[in-house]
Amino acid sequence: MSKKLIQLIGAFGILVLLAGCFNGEQSSKEVDPPQNAEAVNGEETADGEDAAATPDEAEDTVSRELYLIDSNGMVASQTVELPVPETNQVAQQVIEYLVKGGPVTPMLPNGFQAVLPEDTEVLGLDLQEDGTIVVDLSGEFSEYEASSELPIIEAVTYTLTQFDNVQKVKLRVEGEDLAEMPVNGTPLNNGYTRANGINLMNNDTLDYFSSNPVTMFYPVEKENNRYYVPVTQYVKMDDENDLAGIVNELIEGPGYQNNVLNVFNPEAALAAEPVVEEGVANLIFNEGILMDQEQHVISDEVMETIVRTLTAQPNVDAVNVQVENVDEVFNENGEPYSEPVSAQLFTPSEEL
């Protein structure tokens, strides 16, 4: 047989073999995966373990208010989703999430920062029957600048008193009671409460003898993040239960505090003296309170500002807003305010 004929037969054999492959002669044979192969999109690995958790297996979280420092240096709350802690570790968790460089860091909104010095640890917590919570912190707590002292104690106090059964905060460092803050000497003798104020705003023209400190809540809008800043200011009031004085101050606005917003129309005014009945503050305004007088709509920010501020008063649990010559008022979604509004609509509460 000639050499040329042998070459032709060999080439024909190769073509036949390739045709068999393309016709599926090899496709029915399954190839075993490597034993250590990893799954994709939650499929099972060769070792029988899930490569990714399903949504049902995601860590449970709970909403908490953390009082942090915003870009203007004001103490303000942010609602943050925290992992569900052990039952007896709720208070410890919220304090740990106030520590600089701690677990709150990746959650911080733009411009916000934590308040407690880095590496501060919670050594112990004791909630007493009278609503006083004693917080024992490590020595790192004392390592802060004097200018941070008031924001620190205000943030800790407001964060812990979000719980209904906490009324007062006392601090210890390494087991020793603090009679005053360690750097600038802010008094802490009998504990710190919300009555001590927050983001205190002074007014040199006000007669302090005829005025009372009131914490007002003003909205701030930063990069699509709307939140409320509590500001304690002195308000001229006939007595400590003078709600008209507080509402009039809200309508007038925050004055020189330019970092917060005045959300009221300049024409807005009370049409009658407020009346408190069984914890409900009944307010009647003129039509200037409305953002839409045809649809009888009150701005959501106006309602939240009023409710947050008035329910911070000791005798007010909810607010009923009415407008003279209007049968029913609505929110911005067209839903009627058919019942008094409590602060729980904006900041749900619970006990430790």
Side-chain angles (χ1 to χ4, degrees), residues 63-65 77-79 217 226 228 299-309 311 317-319 331 337 340-349:
S63 297
R64 303 283 188 218
E65 275 198 303
S77 72
Q78 289 288 287
T79 301
F217 286 80
R226 187 183 72 173
Y228 282 77
S299 160
D300 293 346
E301 287 185 330
V302 166
M303 182 63 78
E304 188 164 352
T305 298
I306 293 171
V307 172
R308 280 180 177 266
T309 299
T311 55
D317 300 318
V319 180
N331 64 19
Y337 285 111
V341 181
S342 71
Q344 288 223 22
L345 180 64
F346 314 112
T347 55
S349 62

Side-chain angles (χ1 to χ4, degrees), residues 58-332:
E59 188 174 31
D60 290 336
T61 61
V62 61
S63 297
R64 303 283 188 218
E65 275 198 303
L66 300 180
Y67 279 80
L68 307 163
I69 306 297
D70 74 1
S71 59
N72 299 315
M74 308 284 282
V75 181
S77 72
Q78 289 288 287
T79 301
V80 179
E81 293 295 320
L82 303 185
V84 175
E86 297 293 333
T87 303
N88 60 349
Q89 294 180 349
V90 175
Q92 177 172 333
Q93 182 192 56
V94 294
I95 296 299
E96 290 173 344
Y97 272 77
L98 298 183
V99 177
K100 293 180 179 179
V104 74
T105 302
M107 307 178 179
L108 291 171
N110 288 339
F112 275 81
Q113 58 181 304
V115 294
L116 294 182
E118 194 167 356
D119 297 326
T120 299
E121 296 180 11
V122 181
L123 303 181
L125 288 161
D126 179 21
L127 178 58
Q128 301 173 351
E129 290 184 2
D130 66 351
T132 299
I133 190 166
V134 181
V135 184
D136 191 6
L137 301 170
S138 64
E140 288 84 358
F141 172 72
S142 302
E143 300 171 4
Y144 59 84
E145 299 293 331
S147 60
S148 299
E149 186 161 283
L150 277 178
I152 285 173
I153 186 59
E154 290 170 0
V156 170
T157 298
Y158 269 69
T159 296
L160 287 173
T161 54
Q162 73 181 281
F163 302 106
D164 291 342
N165 54 338
V166 179
Q167 306 300 321
K168 182 187 297 184
V169 177
K170 287 187 176 181
L171 296 180
R172 291 176 180 166
V173 172
E174 302 287 349
E176 296 292 328
D177 291 336
L178 292 183
E180 60 184 28
M181 288 289 282
V183 175
N184 212 34
T186 300
L188 298 174
N189 295 317
N190 296 316
Y192 218 80
T193 73
R194 291 197 175 200
N196 288 98
I198 186 170
N199 297 317
L200 188 65
M201 187 167 63
N202 294 318
N203 187 336
D204 295 335
T205 64
L206 195 64
D207 179 5
Y208 288 93
F209 290 103
S210 62
S211 305
N212 292 329
V214 176
T215 298
M216 327 282 277
F217 286 80
Y218 297 105
V220 172
E221 188 82 34
K222 291 280 187 180
E223 299 179 2
N224 296 322
N225 179 20
R226 187 183 72 173
Y227 58 96
Y228 282 77
V229 173
V231 176
T232 300
Q233 57 193 86
Y234 279 82
V235 178
K236 190 172 182 179
M237 301 166 63
D238 295 335
D239 57 62
E240 61 181 9
N241 297 318
D242 181 12
L243 295 187
I246 298 174
V247 173
N248 290 334
E249 190 75 19
L250 273 181
I251 293 173
E252 188 174 332
Y256 294 107
Q257 186 51 258
N258 294 323
N259 297 324
V260 297
L261 302 175
N262 183 0
V263 294
F264 290 87
N265 298 323
E267 302 85 8
L270 285 169
E273 192 73 16
V275 176
V276 179
E277 296 178 330
E278 298 182 350
V280 176
N282 296 284
L283 308 179
I284 302 176
F285 289 92
N286 65 7
E287 293 187 11
I289 197 70
L290 299 173
M291 69 175 296
D292 186 332
Q293 295 193 7
E294 291 186 0
Q295 300 298 322
H296 304 157
V297 173
I298 293 181
S299 160
D300 293 346
E301 287 185 330
V302 166
M303 182 63 78
E304 188 164 352
T305 298
I306 293 171
V307 172
R308 280 180 177 266
T309 299
L310 293 189
T311 55
Q313 304 308 303
N315 60 333
V316 178
D317 300 318
V319 180
N320 178 34
V321 174
Q322 298 176 326
V323 177
E324 60 179 356
N325 303 320
V326 173
D327 293 332
E328 195 169 36
V329 294
F330 301 85
N331 64 19
E332 291 183 27

